Amino acid sequence: LALERAQVLSDLAQQRDALSEANRNLERSNADLDRFAAIASHDLKAPIRAVTSFSELLSARYAPQLAGRGLTYLEQIRSNGYHMQRLVDDLLLYSRAAATDPVFTDVDVSALMREVLTRLDPDLQAAQAQVTATDLPVVWGDAAQLDRLLQNLIGNALKYRRAEPPRVQVRAHTQPDGSCQFDVQDNGQGIDPEYHQRIFQLFTRLHHRDVEGTGLGLAICQRIVEHHGGRLWVQSVPGEGSTFSFTLPGRPHTHSDA
Ligand code: ADP
């Protein structure tokens, strides 16, 4: 019996070593992928800007000379150029979200929301959206990253709207342990349960050919929340709406707090 036990223990130890080796390899290839994404997107920025700005120039100066099909082709070049630009910007954000540690400070989420809403204002106006936010707390986090997180979630709530006007509610509840849960609730198209996990993966888009997007927004959100030590998930009923929730741990206590 003792021999068998020793054998089982040694097998377990071998499996554990193999698992940690696999884990290390995975981390290495993730880091390689992030480096590749960062370098590729950085190097693609300038040529893509050339495509968009020259096509803007062409349509501003030479539109009258470009009859019919010429104008259609130009419009295609321009809109694909903008799409590539967004893709590259999001890829850079995605790889940076892993490469740079959050800079933690006290962040007033009400003030952050005002900034996000000001930036989204043209979209809000166009959709005649009603966005409400109440009692948002001060949290311990990276202001720029939390700004991006809220912007992506509220931006999606507007993009994937169903009822007009779209309604978005942002709520927060602080837990006794100091952590905070945020809910961003919309009355939009909703998401089929089979996609509730997959939408957080890179490049997942669900049948929205007519809506602009890169499929990177939620993957960026996920990285940001994980880097803060929190969790991000969705609850959603197709045809009724979605609630994206995330948690942020409380401010760690330091000696100077005492
Ligand atoms: P993108 O919006 O650029 O496509 P995201 O990563 O932000 O990429 O979202 C992935 C997919 O998840 C979207 O294409 C959409 O199908 C779905 N989705 C995200 N947010 C919502 C929402 N609030 N309501 C319905 N569907 C959503």
Side-chain angles (χ1 to χ4, degrees):
L1 201 68
L3 258 178
E4 262 176 33
R5 245 189 84 196
Q7 184 59 44
V8 169
L9 283 177
S10 133
D11 287 353
L12 275 176
Q14 266 180 18
Q15 282 170 15
R16 191 199 51 211
D17 290 349
L19 265 178
S20 19
E21 178 60 23
N23 210 11
R24 271 195 299 276
N25 285 340
L26 198 67
E27 272 170 16
R28 260 197 300 273
S29 45
N30 271 344
D32 286 348
L33 204 65
D34 282 335
R35 247 193 315 278
F36 170 74
I39 292 168
S41 37
H42 182 265
D43 287 0
L44 283 170
K45 262 180 172 265
I48 291 172
R49 197 167 307 121
V51 171
T52 52
S53 42
F54 281 122
S55 53
E56 276 163 12
L57 194 80
L58 266 179
S59 61
R61 293 233 186 118
Y62 301 99
Q65 283 111 297
L66 284 169
R69 239 183 236 174
L71 266 184
T72 316
Y73 295 154
L74 182 59
E75 195 40 50
Q76 286 284 337
I77 296 172
R78 201 156 59 127
S79 67
N80 279 287
Y82 289 143
H83 181 70
M84 283 194 287
Q85 217 159 28
R86 273 186 287 266
L87 209 55
V88 156
D89 287 344
D90 276 1
L91 260 180
L92 262 178
L93 267 176
Y94 178 76
S95 54
R96 274 198 200 130
T100 42
D101 286 332
V103 179
F104 283 92
T105 56
D106 282 320
V107 179
D108 178 353
V109 184
S110 297
L112 205 64
M113 267 294 285
R114 279 195 291 276
E115 285 174 33
V116 170
L117 293 181
T118 311
R119 226 172 305 126
L120 285 172
D121 195 45
D123 297 343
L124 297 176
Q125 301 255 354
Q128 297 185 317
Q130 295 167 5
V131 183
T132 53
T134 38
D135 299 331
L136 297 181
V138 172
V139 295
W140 185 239
D142 182 306
Q145 294 195 356
L146 296 182
D147 182 300
R148 167 58 59 170
L149 173 66
L150 283 171
Q151 181 174 322
N152 283 3
L153 295 180
I154 298 171
N156 277 351
L158 297 177
K159 274 200 303 188
Y160 304 112
R161 63 178 179 268
R162 174 184 52 93
E164 302 290 343
R167 259 189 278 275
V168 187
Q169 269 186 51
V170 183
R171 288 184 305 262
H173 3 253
T174 307
Q175 318 288 351
D177 66 356
S179 68
C180 192
Q181 178 175 327
F182 288 83
D183 300 315
V184 180
Q185 181 176 16
D186 66 50
N187 61 344
Q189 298 170 11
I191 301 157
D192 201 285
E194 76 171 289
Y195 297 111
H196 285 187
Q197 310 268 334
R198 223 188 303 163
I199 49 169
F200 296 100
Q201 289 170 9
L202 282 179
F203 302 119
T204 307
R205 305 205 68 217
L206 313 176
H207 333 293
H208 300 295
R209 286 182 192 282
D210 49 335
V211 181
E212 167 58 36
T214 60
L216 284 162
L218 287 176
I220 293 170
C221 292
Q222 176 106 354
R223 275 205 160 166
I224 290 174
V225 173
E226 277 174 6
H227 260 64
H228 279 75
R231 231 162 45 81
L232 168 68
W233 69 97
V234 68
Q235 286 170 295
S236 177
V237 178
E240 284 185 20
S242 313
T243 303
F244 283 85
S245 304
F246 62 91
T247 54
L248 297 176
R251 188 186 208 279
H253 294 289
T254 58
H255 292 304
S256 55
D257 289 340

